[in-house]
Amino acid sequence: MKLITVSGPPSSGKTAVMLKVIGVLKDQGFRAGVVKFDCLTTHDKELYQGLGIPVRVGLSGNLCPDHYFVSNIENCLNWGLQEELDYLVSESAGLCNRCSPHIKGVMSLCVIDNLMGIHTPRKIGPMLKLADLVVITKGDIVSQAEREVFSFKVLQANAGARILFVNGITGQGAWELSRLIADAPDQETLSGGRFPMPAALCSYCLGETRIGEQHQVGNIRKMKV
């Protein structure tokens, strides 16, 4: 089974793109499933089920979504293997720009939309900088010059990534993306490990609510004021 980790800022079009790509894979005779990680709520389960796609949803609640992901992804991989899937898409939403659900040795994809501003790629951390593939959406709304500038900014943030424009509404580019993820390595275990997570823990991570230096312990970084 091929595992692909998909991440990106909220409303960038992750689900729309993957629905089109999985539709292409189904037409080619492959069986694909999805694990959706989010924070508080999601209606994407109904969208996937509407196309007959096996799906599982996990909501992190008040837990860091990146920690929630890494604590559950092995069980999700085993679920996909039990379902005899050819492809398993792990879609992570609600991540902060410092987080990344990417795993060493696993094909990683970041979805980012063309309307976020040309400086946005520099503001997105490992989910973009460590991705194998970067999908740019909503390119049909901007000019050709804006698309070229934006893709150049993406390459400045991740020079080794393969960039592809995909339209989540029409499906343009979905077939090309399906061919790229076909090169993903097969996964039976997650022995490659993952990339480092954000530094932790501070007192607020552990439930502290009072403000003031006397209540701050652990990883604390102060700004110069």
Side-chain angles (χ1 to χ4, degrees):
M1 183 184 70
K2 299 180 185 297
L3 173 64
I4 298 93
T5 58
V6 180
S7 63
S11 302
S12 57
K14 297 182 294 295
T15 301
V17 167
M18 296 319 300
L19 283 168
K20 296 297 185 183
V21 172
I22 292 175
V24 172
L25 293 174
K26 289 182 65 177
D27 291 342
Q28 295 171 351
F30 295 108
R31 179 171 164 79
V34 176
V35 177
K36 171 77 176 194
F37 291 94
D38 214 323
C39 289
L40 300 178
T41 184
T42 179
H43 299 289
D44 293 345
K45 181 178 181 179
E46 290 79 6
L47 297 176
Y48 286 116
Q49 287 179 331
L51 293 180
I53 300 170
V55 59
R56 291 292 184 270
V57 173
L59 301 177
S60 63
N62 60 357
L63 187 68
C64 163
D66 201 21
H67 286 77
Y68 182 74
F69 162 82
V70 75
S71 300
N72 287 278
I73 187 59
E74 184 179 35
N75 290 338
C76 295
L77 177 75
N78 293 333
W79 168 75
L81 292 170
Q82 291 171 3
E83 291 287 317
E84 298 183 344
L85 301 176
D86 299 302
Y87 291 86
L88 177 62
V89 174
S90 169
E91 181 188 333
S92 297
L95 295 174
C96 72
N97 287 335
R98 176 60 184 85
C99 293
S100 167
H102 303 322
I103 302 169
K104 295 177 182 178
V106 174
M107 180 170 283
S108 54
L109 190 155
C110 179
V111 180
I112 182 172
D113 80 75
N114 229 140
L115 300 179
M116 302 182 71
I118 62 172
H119 299 299
T120 298
R122 294 187 61 186
K123 300 177 182 180
I124 300 178
M127 75 168 81
L128 172 62
K129 293 178 173 60
L130 299 176
D132 299 309
L133 305 172
V134 177
V135 169
I136 301 177
T137 59
K138 305 177 186 177
D140 56 317
I141 303 177
V142 300
S143 67
Q144 177 63 28
E146 289 174 299
R147 287 195 293 271
E148 291 179 3
V149 170
F150 193 81
S151 60
F152 176 73
K153 293 292 184 178
V154 169
L155 282 176
Q156 284 184 320
N158 184 348
R162 180 77 177 266
I163 296 178
L164 188 67
F165 284 86
V166 179
N167 190 314
I169 297 177
T170 66
Q172 183 178 4
W175 184 88
E176 289 82 357
L177 181 55
S178 74
R179 294 298 81 216
L180 291 176
I181 66 175
D183 293 331
D186 292 332
Q187 303 289 337
E188 294 184 1
T189 66
L190 297 176
S191 57
R194 61 155 290 144
F195 298 97
M197 299 174 72
L201 293 163
C202 75
S203 51
Y204 299 108
C205 294
L206 301 176
E208 179 62 76
T209 59
R210 293 169 295 177
I211 297 174
E213 290 192 4
Q214 66 272 29
H215 306 300
Q216 298 171 2
V217 296
N219 264 316
I220 302 296
R221 180 180 297 176
K222 294 292 187 178
M223 61 185 290
K224 294 181 179 180
V225 180

